[in-house]
Amino acid sequence: MALWAGRFSKEVDETVNAFNSSIAFDARMYAQDIRGSIAHATMLGDCGIIEKSESEAIITGLKGILQDLQEGTLEFDPNAEDIHMFVEAELTKRLGSTGKRLHTARSRNDQVALDIRLYLRDEMEHIKKLILDLMQTICDIAEQHTETIMSGYTHLQRAQPITFAHHILAYAQMLKRDYERICDAVDRMNECPLGSGALAGTTYAVNRQQTSDLLGFRQPVENSLDGVSDRDFCIELCCALSLLMTHLSRFSEEIILWCSWEFKFIELDDAYATGSSIMPQKKNPDVTELIRGKTGRVNGDLITLLSMMKGLPLAYNKDMQEDKEAIFDAIDNTELCLKTFIPMLRTMRVLKDNMRKAAAKGFINATDCADYLVKKGMPFRDAYKITGTLVATCIEKDLTLETLPLADYQAMTELFAEDVYQAISLDTCVRERKSYGAPSPDAVKIQLQHLREALSSYQKS
Ligand code: ARG
């Protein structure tokens, strides 16, 4: 018999019961549900809404349920409507009528709004820690490669010389924003909906500040309708996860390219690659492909949440029960991806000679060649045109700008001298790109230092 059975003259159809039930997926919030109920019971006792002794008995009972669930001596009832009903029913089974007092001045609507917030807050701590681990990993690898020259690309065409450190640190910067985005979203979410009741608050003299404080929230939600009826925090966090996954997915795509024979810039450790059932030579980057694939799935979760909310009148509607599977799926998959990606990255081998060889082709020093003329007084557009012609000559003669004879240079303009070879050597090209945030080893070391400072300030907070 449902806890709300009083008004009904017959049992709910079995299909409807199963359809309605969320215990299969909201059971994972049991610890948060119990934590919220303990705070609520404490407040009810302190405010004299229930007897102190009843409050104490309820708290002890809830702690017992928590322990039994953690130890596996109590199992979830698959027929329960949801985790909230399950805990309350179990409490009543254990305490009799005292258990029935817990739900005073509370509705499942503010209860579930609370539980999700608590759950997301807890989970985001794990995700944040994983992001920091990944940033740390990238910084450690970058440290080794501030002099490892590679080509930077635009349109996947070789463009200008950079270093491997500079390239991967771009991802560390994206992850830094992902980290901060999650912190911001958690902070905005960190208001306590408890006391909003079903939608219109409560007639009991509750102390909302107390429950908010007990549960570590910044303050109680200001509007009871808003407290139970918005899931913008789920959407915002899911969006932050989507962006994080998008960054992982782009990084994954590059790794997939880099470990192809066409690039061969890196080699994955055997523990993080897989073979083919038919082609004995294959070593496949499945981990990165799965991350790329799962990004689509997390984006799908975001669309699920947005679509679920867009037409809902205030306040609570049962549609909102759908929030959990979507946000849980986004969290589970993001966590899984981070956990696999980090050690994969840490163990990959960087084949710097191959990067260097690829950088030597493709005329990535052409801009520097033009800049050489500009520094000798020529307007950039003229210098650009001359360099273009030189590149065409090189292609025709199967040469590079480094191997093109000085005579060919000087045939274009007298401004060219022997020192052009020094100016267009890849090492010079990278070393001279020393503007703030640029790839020169010195500039990258500053970037690395700032990232390390950010990391240690995050770790302290
Ligand atoms: N299982 C429900 C959910 O996840 C809990 C809230 C139910 N409230 C209600 N009025 N039926 O949203």
Side-chain angles (χ1 to χ4, degrees):
M1 193 72 92
L3 288 176
W4 39 256
R7 183 212 192 282
F8 290 77
S9 56
K10 48 165 135 160
E11 287 281 316
V12 173
D13 180 86
E14 251 181 61
T15 345
V16 173
N17 257 339
F19 185 60
N20 208 24
S21 170
S22 55
I23 186 110
F25 50 85
D26 65 18
R28 64 159 84 190
M29 302 192 302
Y30 74 89
Q32 289 79 13
D33 190 77
I34 292 173
R35 206 193 309 159
S37 288
I38 289 176
H40 182 64
T42 307
M43 182 277 292
L44 291 178
D46 287 355
C47 293
I49 297 168
I50 62 175
E51 294 295 328
K52 216 40 195 213
S53 59
E54 290 170 326
S55 160
E56 280 157 13
I58 289 172
I59 292 166
T60 310
L62 287 167
K63 286 183 178 162
I65 294 174
L66 177 65
Q67 190 174 359
D68 293 350
L69 285 170
Q70 278 164 342
E71 288 170 0
T73 49
L74 171 65
E75 278 179 15
F76 297 111
D77 173 6
N79 298 315
E81 193 175 317
D82 52 32
I83 185 61
H84 328 294
M85 292 296 211
F86 170 76
V87 173
E88 192 186 332
E90 182 61 30
L91 187 72
T92 304
K93 211 191 282 172
R94 294 182 181 201
L95 301 187
S97 68
T98 303
K100 297 183 187 168
R101 296 203 186 269
L102 170 63
H103 211 53
T104 314
R106 186 176 72 170
S107 152
R108 266 187 304 158
N109 296 351
D110 56 352
Q111 194 178 354
V112 73
L114 170 74
D115 291 6
I116 316 168
R117 282 169 167 89
L118 289 174
Y119 183 83
L120 292 180
R121 212 173 62 183
D122 291 347
E123 281 302 311
M124 287 307 136
E125 281 308 305
H126 299 147
I127 297 217
K128 275 163 55 185
K129 192 176 165 306
L130 285 166
I131 297 177
L132 296 188
D133 277 1
L134 179 52
M135 285 175 66
Q136 184 81 50
T137 304
I138 295 174
C139 287
D140 292 346
I141 300 171
E143 192 104 58
Q144 309 298 313
H145 291 286
T146 51
E147 315 258 349
T148 303
I149 290 178
M150 70 181 279
S151 173
Y153 295 78
T154 60
H155 312 271
L156 203 57
Q157 302 287 321
R158 289 173 191 154
Q160 288 181 343
I162 56 168
T163 64
F164 188 60
H166 193 54
H167 192 110
I168 61 173
L169 285 180
Y171 286 106
Q173 301 290 350
M174 297 174 216
L175 290 162
K176 179 169 174 268
R177 291 192 293 278
D178 290 325
Y179 180 88
E180 290 181 352
R181 220 181 326 267
I182 290 176
C183 294
D184 288 352
V186 168
D187 184 55
R188 232 182 320 281
M189 171 183 77
N190 203 21
E191 295 185 352
C192 186
L194 211 53
S196 298
L199 73 160
T202 173
T203 53
Y204 295 95
V206 292
N207 182 348
R208 291 196 59 205
Q209 190 62 49
Q210 185 187 0
T211 40
S212 174
D213 290 344
L214 283 173
L215 294 165
F217 285 100
R218 190 162 26 83
Q219 65 167 85
V221 166
E222 291 270 2
N223 179 307
S224 64
L225 258 83
D226 178 47
V228 292
S229 70
D230 206 356
R231 294 291 182 267
D232 57 355
F233 55 93
C234 289
I235 296 172
E236 198 179 352
L237 279 172
C238 195
C239 184
L241 296 182
S242 266
L243 281 168
L244 166 60
M245 286 298 295
T246 300
H247 295 147
L248 292 186
S249 183
R250 292 186 74 180
F251 204 168
S252 293
E253 168 63 14
E254 297 211 285
I255 289 172
I256 293 164
L257 286 172
W258 291 341
C259 58
S260 70
W261 281 104
E262 283 68 16
F263 278 81
K264 265 291 165 251
F265 285 1
I266 56 141
E267 172 145 15
L268 294 176
D269 189 83
D270 281 1
Y272 293 95
T274 50
S276 150
S277 60
I278 172 169
M279 296 166 281
Q281 84 284 13
K282 289 299 280 298
K283 182 167 173 183
N284 295 329
D286 288 27
V287 166
T288 38
E289 290 169 63
L290 261 176
I291 291 174
R292 203 174 50 184
K294 283 176 183 292
T295 302
R297 177 173 172 158
V298 174
N299 290 350
D301 294 326
L302 175 61
I303 297 299
T304 299
L305 290 168
L306 284 165
S307 315
M308 176 194 86
M309 291 305 293
K310 79 175 187 58
L312 295 188
L314 300 187
Y316 178 85
N317 298 271
K318 190 76 173 201
D319 315 42
M320 286 155 74
Q321 180 165 286
E322 292 289 312
D323 61 353
K324 285 168 228 52
E325 278 170 296
I327 190 70
F328 294 166
D329 184 77
I331 291 172
D332 291 351
N333 281 287
T334 307
E335 231 177 286
L336 214 55
C337 289
L338 284 165
K339 277 187 184 149
T340 327
F341 192 76
I342 295 167
M344 186 207 67
L345 205 62
R346 220 172 241 294
T347 53
M348 84 184 175
R349 224 155 44 90
V350 179
L351 307 176
K352 44 174 158 176
D353 293 345
N354 292 350
M355 285 186 188
R356 174 91 200 199
K357 263 185 245 156
K361 298 176 206 149
F363 305 101
I364 61 176
N365 46 4
T367 316
D368 303 81
C369 181
D371 289 342
Y372 169 89
L373 292 176
V374 170
K375 282 170 195 159
K376 296 215 167 183
M378 186 180 279
F380 179 76
R381 272 292 155 240
D382 297 337
Y384 173 96
K385 194 151 175 235
I386 288 178
T387 310
T389 314
L390 288 169
V391 167
T393 312
C394 287
I395 292 170
E396 201 182 291
K397 298 187 174 177
D398 197 20
L399 293 171
T400 62
L401 287 172
E402 291 90 325
T403 54
L404 186 72
L406 189 58
D408 287 290
Y409 279 103
Q410 289 177 332
M412 297 300 300
T413 162
E414 289 293 300
L415 290 177
F416 278 119
E418 188 63 40
D419 62 352
V420 67
Y421 295 106
Q422 170 65 24
I424 61 164
S425 94
L426 289 182
D427 295 292
T428 313
C429 297
V430 169
R431 197 173 356 97
E432 290 305 310
R433 288 191 149 67
K434 53 190 176 206
S435 55
Y436 190 80
S440 83
D442 287 345
V444 167
K445 276 174 201 152
I446 294 172
Q447 186 188 168
L448 247 173
Q449 190 198 327
H450 289 168
L451 276 166
R452 297 243 191 242
E453 281 164 13
L455 270 172
S456 73
S457 86
Y458 296 154
Q459 266 144 2
K460 268 183 231 138
S461 66

